[in-house]
Each structure stands twice: as C-alpha cells, then as structure tokens.
Amino acid sequence: MPQAPKPAITSVKSAISCPVCSSEMVLRTAKRGVNAGNQFYGCSNYPSCRGTKPHQL
C-alpha cells in the first residue's frame, strides 16, 4: 500500500516584505531552540535569504 506524502512545512503568506531582499514573508513556527513554538515571519526565499521579523499579536 503506498504511503501518503508528508505534508510540507505549514506557512501562511503575508503582505509583509522582507527587510533584506523585499520578497514576501511567510508566518512560520520555530521548531527548536529558546523560541520553539513561537511564531515569526521568515523570508519566502529561505535558505537563499535568512531575513526574519518577529510576529506581534
């Protein structure tokens, strides 16, 4: 029986632009480290661009 493909990392596009390359940013959730579980905006061009912004509620 074939296995279902794993879902991609969930992210939500936003109208916020990257401070480094001006591309769209996506809302992501930190998986590791001190900020694990917290949300942040990351550049949609990752890993070419590592621009981030904090997510403020």
Side-chain angles (χ1 to χ4, degrees):
M1 183 187 254
Q3 293 181 347
K6 291 184 179 181
I9 295 174
T10 57
S11 59
V12 178
K13 289 187 178 181
S14 69
I16 298 173
S17 60
C18 177
V20 178
C21 70
S22 301
S23 295
E24 275 189 350
M25 297 196 85
V26 292
L27 185 60
R28 301 182 187 264
T29 303
K31 303 290 183 196
R32 304 184 200 172
V34 177
N35 294 317
N38 294 336
Q39 291 186 317
F40 66 97
Y41 287 103
C43 185
S44 60
N45 284 332
Y46 179 86
S48 298
C49 176
R50 293 184 171 266
T52 62
K53 284 187 176 180
H55 177 251
Q56 298 171 354
L57 298 174

